[in-house]
């Protein structure tokens, strides 16, 4: 059968570039795949946090053995995003598991109303992992040895993760070419070659994974870009050494008057950052903000500054080139979407090429581009509600509150207001348009994610406010019992020192399930 694509060139050897190459190799052992990058240049020191889908993508789709991954990369298992001082509300978690207890149908309505009234009364297993500072592992000799709690994500140390991916690329016959790409030769929306000093590279399909530099995509200034309306466009970060015993297994997000700060713990590093809008905060002020947040002596020279454009390219796959990673789209780092989302795109691209016979036809391009746009609109909709509902009176928070919600977010806020948490079982709580519903199908964030954030941010639901607060004592007692059970279960998990000490022992790794 005729195929147009036998040779793929990936421009950019960062995490996304290598994960894209590994995704292509997963579905085709014969495809020629090369990655070209200046591999001696230090990678950006951001992008270490992920969300839930990273686990099945890495260990399911890519079939990366979890035992060797843990040994070589030494990840931290992330139980939640922990919001502190966010929009004036008490601290809360956004976990990756469902904290709703299993109730009899007769009590379900009361349960949902009690969660609306007292959402922090019951935590999920993921939240307890954070609160008790545990790794997501316990040892059960009757259950096959080490067992991991499934509903967690990763914090990944950049250098170890990158070294791991390079090793896997080489094992799978992916050529790593150490060169600095300076641009591309293009003609009528097609790429003819990508060019380094004194050398050019040609391929059937080019993939631009060069980050915000957009080395290939930048040659096509006429191609459209959709801008998101949130004003955040800058970040500054630094890192400090940290003892393993002090790991906090959550991405911490802390609101500030002019933006927000993050804390991300990896195996031996605590990464701190501040995200802000240049419209209100200059780099010097941002540097002072971050320096005041970090313990110990630190100078401005130890800070890294990043600029980003919030939005996405309208068509990432054009003719014979695909744009992926930060070169293709980015909102801001609040929900740790970048790495995991782009691995989703890489998987979809690999299957799309394979199932359509590696043809450079319009149909696979249109299908991929639609999936890409749907995903980013879903992510932006979810991020937007984090900012919309605040009563804070600062220039930054006034500005983000004024941003109009995208259609999907507005529709879900309507359902939350009219039906509350009963949407889970109420057939009347449906989308008013198929277009909005499609932005949820197969996308990173569903109704339950939106409603969790709205509830914990203290957003009123007219439906719940109209109900009497006559919640039966049995429902509240069941929630208290559930909380006690979850606390006891997580207490049996290993802490990080225990877990990694065991991982270093002889004859124990094979017992990891």
């Amino acid at each position: 059968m005729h195929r147009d694509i036998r040779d793929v060139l990936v421009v950019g050897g960062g995490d996304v570039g290598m994960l894209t190459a590994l995704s292509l190799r997963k579905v085709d052992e014969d495809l020629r795949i090369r990655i070209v990058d200046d591999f001696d240049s230090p990678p950006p020191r951001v992008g270490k946090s992920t969300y839930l889908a990273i686990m099945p993508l890495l260990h399911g789709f890519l079939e990366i053995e979890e035992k060797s991954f843990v040994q070589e990369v030494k990840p931290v298992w992330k139980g939640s995003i922990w919001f502190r001082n966010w929009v004036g509300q008490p601290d809360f978690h956004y976990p990756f598991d469902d904290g709703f207890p299993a109730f009899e149908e007769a009590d379900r309505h009361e349960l949902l109303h009690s969660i609306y009234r007292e959402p922090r009364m019951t935590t999920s297993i993921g939240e307890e992992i954070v609160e008790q500072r545990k790794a997501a592992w316990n040892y059960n000799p009757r259950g096959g040895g080490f067992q991991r709690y499934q509903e967690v994500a990763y914090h990944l140390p950049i250098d170890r993760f990158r070294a791991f991916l390079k090793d896997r690329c080489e094992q799978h016959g992916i050529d790593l070419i150490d060169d600095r790409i300076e641009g591309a030769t293009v003609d009528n929306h097609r790429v003819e070659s990508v060019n380094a000093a004194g050398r050019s590279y040609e391929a059937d399909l080019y993939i631009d994974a060069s980050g915000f530099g957009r080395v290939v995509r930048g040659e096509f200034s006429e191609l459209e870009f959709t801008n998101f309306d949130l004003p955040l466009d800058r970040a500054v970060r630094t890192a400090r050494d940290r003892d393993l015993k002090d790991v906090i297994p959550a991405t911490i997000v802390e609101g500030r008057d002019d933006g927000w700060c993050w804390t991300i713990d990896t195996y031996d590093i605590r990464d701190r950052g501040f995200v802000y809008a240049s419209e209100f905060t200059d780099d010097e002020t941002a540097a002072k903000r971050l320096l005041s947040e970090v313990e110990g002596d630190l100078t401005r020279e130890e800070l890294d500054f990043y600029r980003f454009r919030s939005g996405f390219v309208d068509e990432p796959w054009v003719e014979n080139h695909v744009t992926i990673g930060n070169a293709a789209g980015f909102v801001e780092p609040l929900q740790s979407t970048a790495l995991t989302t782009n691995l989703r795109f890489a998987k979809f691209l690999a299957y799309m090429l394979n199932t359509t016979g590696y043809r450079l036809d319009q149909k696979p391009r249109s299908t991929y581009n639609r999936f890409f746009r749907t995903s980013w609109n879903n992510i932006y909709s979810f991020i937007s509600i984090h900012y919309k509902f605040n009563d804070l009176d600062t220039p930054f928070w006034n500005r983000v509150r004024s941003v109009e919600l995208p259609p999907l977010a507005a529709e879900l806020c309507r359902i939350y207001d009219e039906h509350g948490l009963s949407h889970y079982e109420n057939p009347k709580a449906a989308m008013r348009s198929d277009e909005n519903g499609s932005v949820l199908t197969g996308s990173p964030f569903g109704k339950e994610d939106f409603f969790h954030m709205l509830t914990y941010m203290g957003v009123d639901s007219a439906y719940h406010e109209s109900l009497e607060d006559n919640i039966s004592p049995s429902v509240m007692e069941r929630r208290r019992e559930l909380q006690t059970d979850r606390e006891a279960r997580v207490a049996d998990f290993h802490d990080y020192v225990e877990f990694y000490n065991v991982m270093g022992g002889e004859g124990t790794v094979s017992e990891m399930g």
Side-chain angles (χ1 to χ4, degrees):
M1 184 177 72
H2 172 74
R3 58 186 283 172
D4 299 320
I5 302 169
R6 298 181 183 275
D7 182 0
V8 176
L9 184 70
V10 180
V11 179
D15 300 341
V16 172
M18 288 189 281
L19 288 168
T20 301
L22 289 168
S23 299
L24 296 172
R25 174 62 74 233
K26 175 65 171 60
V27 301
D28 193 325
E29 295 181 355
D30 299 321
L31 189 66
R32 185 190 185 196
I33 305 171
R34 293 170 291 164
I35 304 175
V36 58
D37 199 358
D38 182 1
F39 284 98
D40 291 331
S41 296
R45 312 307 299 182
V46 291
K48 293 171 286 295
S49 189
T50 63
Y51 65 86
L52 180 62
I54 195 67
M55 310 302 274
L57 286 169
L58 285 178
H59 305 306
F61 167 59
L62 289 181
E63 296 183 323
I64 292 174
E65 185 187 34
E66 193 166 1
K67 289 181 291 187
S68 60
F69 185 83
V70 171
Q71 284 181 300
E72 296 180 45
V73 178
K74 298 189 185 320
V76 164
W77 290 270
K78 167 184 174 180
S80 75
I81 299 175
W82 191 357
F83 287 89
R84 295 175 173 177
N85 190 38
W86 192 256
V87 298
Q89 293 298 311
D91 297 351
F92 65 92
H93 294 270
Y94 167 76
F96 303 114
D97 51 0
D98 185 359
F100 285 10
F103 268 49
E104 297 296 331
E105 189 67 27
D107 294 328
R108 183 71 173 174
H109 187 268
E110 280 192 69
L111 165 69
L112 294 174
H113 187 54
S114 77
I115 290 172
Y116 173 82
R117 288 300 186 198
E118 296 188 46
R120 293 164 181 80
M121 179 180 173
T122 309
T123 58
S124 71
I125 295 292
E127 292 173 77
E128 275 303 311
I129 287 173
V130 179
E131 294 289 347
Q132 297 187 36
R133 307 295 193 266
K134 297 287 190 173
W137 293 87
N138 68 344
Y139 185 79
N140 183 352
R142 295 183 178 180
F146 281 107
Q147 295 179 328
R148 175 175 61 79
Y149 183 64
Q150 297 297 305
E151 308 299 313
V152 290
Y154 279 138
H155 285 172
L156 299 169
I158 287 176
D159 292 330
R160 288 195 187 96
F161 186 48
R162 192 181 192 214
F164 180 91
L165 293 178
K166 287 177 69 175
D167 181 65
R168 291 308 182 275
C169 284
E170 291 170 345
Q171 289 181 19
H172 289 285
I174 297 167
D175 295 329
L176 304 181
I177 302 171
D178 192 4
D179 205 349
R180 183 187 296 273
I181 297 299
E182 298 177 346
T185 300
V186 303
D187 181 39
N188 194 28
H189 290 175
R190 290 182 60 87
V191 176
E192 302 295 332
S193 66
V194 296
N195 309 315
R199 183 177 178 184
S200 295
Y201 299 88
E202 297 180 356
D204 300 323
L205 180 70
Y206 300 85
I207 297 178
D208 184 353
S210 62
F212 294 121
R214 300 185 173 94
V215 173
V216 177
R217 183 74 181 206
E219 301 287 351
F220 299 96
S221 59
E222 70 278 13
L223 296 179
E224 293 185 0
F225 187 95
T226 294
N227 290 294
F228 293 134
D229 293 331
L230 289 172
L232 295 128
D233 60 358
R234 300 284 192 274
V236 56
R237 53 79 56 189
T238 190
R240 309 292 279 177
D241 293 338
R242 193 218 62 254
D243 289 339
L244 186 59
K245 64 180 178 62
D246 296 325
V247 165
I248 300 175
T251 298
I252 299 175
V253 170
E254 299 182 87
R256 297 292 182 261
D257 289 345
D258 47 354
W260 60 271
C261 291
W262 77 68
T263 301
I264 300 174
D265 280 356
T266 54
Y267 180 77
D268 50 9
I269 295 293
R270 173 158 292 168
D271 197 270
R272 300 295 310 275
F274 174 55
V275 182
Y276 57 103
S278 59
E279 179 181 346
F280 304 106
T281 305
D282 60 31
D283 290 348
E284 288 302 318
T285 302
K288 292 177 181 177
R289 160 72 73 187
L290 185 56
L291 290 172
S292 70
E293 300 275 346
V294 179
E295 295 181 1
D297 295 330
L298 196 67
T299 65
R300 193 185 189 285
E301 287 67 35
E302 296 174 84
L303 305 181
D304 301 319
F305 289 85
Y306 297 92
R307 297 186 176 190
F308 56 88
R309 183 180 180 186
S310 183
F312 60 86
V313 297
D314 284 10
E315 294 189 338
W317 186 354
V318 178
E319 296 292 344
N320 68 337
H321 57 97
V322 179
T323 310
I324 199 166
N326 289 339
F330 189 73
V331 183
E332 55 110 322
L334 185 64
Q335 278 283 347
S336 310
T337 53
L339 181 66
T340 313
T341 295
N342 284 297
L343 182 49
R344 289 179 70 248
F345 292 150
K347 175 185 176 181
F348 193 85
L349 175 65
Y351 279 134
M352 184 60 55
L353 289 169
N354 185 262
T355 57
T356 57
Y358 292 89
R359 302 293 299 273
L360 289 171
D361 293 341
Q362 184 59 40
K363 185 175 181 179
R365 286 198 296 263
S366 297
T367 302
Y368 178 82
N369 290 341
R370 183 168 57 252
F371 174 77
F372 173 89
R373 289 191 296 268
T374 296
S375 296
W376 276 119
N377 282 323
N378 171 272
I379 292 168
Y380 177 61
S381 293
F382 187 51
I383 295 295
S384 69
I385 67 169
H386 292 62
Y387 293 99
K388 181 69 174 179
F389 299 100
N390 78 84
D391 297 321
L392 307 177
D393 188 17
T394 71
F396 170 78
W397 287 101
N398 287 333
R399 169 72 171 82
V400 296
R401 186 170 57 248
S402 71
V403 173
E404 182 178 356
L405 288 175
L408 172 65
E411 176 70 351
L412 287 171
C413 288
R414 178 193 67 79
I415 293 174
Y416 174 82
D417 185 54
E418 294 181 4
H419 302 279
L421 299 181
S422 70
H423 83 94
Y424 288 101
E425 54 210 11
N426 188 343
K428 294 181 180 180
M431 292 288 187
R432 283 180 172 167
S433 76
D434 291 338
E435 179 181 352
N436 281 326
S438 70
V439 184
L440 286 175
T441 305
S443 292
F445 302 107
K447 279 185 184 180
E448 64 278 4
D449 300 295
F450 284 80
F451 286 15
H452 180 98
M453 289 301 302
L454 292 170
T455 299
Y456 278 79
M457 290 193 303
V459 179
D460 285 346
S461 164
Y463 171 81
H464 285 289
E465 294 300 321
S466 69
L467 300 177
E468 294 183 7
D469 290 335
N470 55 349
I471 301 168
S472 66
S474 63
V475 168
M476 303 306 286
E477 180 60 26
R478 178 72 182 94
R479 289 186 68 185
R480 284 189 286 269
E481 291 173 354
L482 187 73
Q483 180 63 24
T484 300
D485 290 344
R486 288 174 173 173
E487 290 173 0
R489 179 181 171 186
V490 174
D492 289 336
F493 287 18
H494 290 290
D495 64 34
Y496 277 88
V497 173
E498 292 169 342
F499 178 75
Y500 276 112
N501 281 343
V502 172
M503 284 294 294
E506 289 294 327
T508 58
V509 176
S510 62
E511 296 176 314
M512 199 165 92

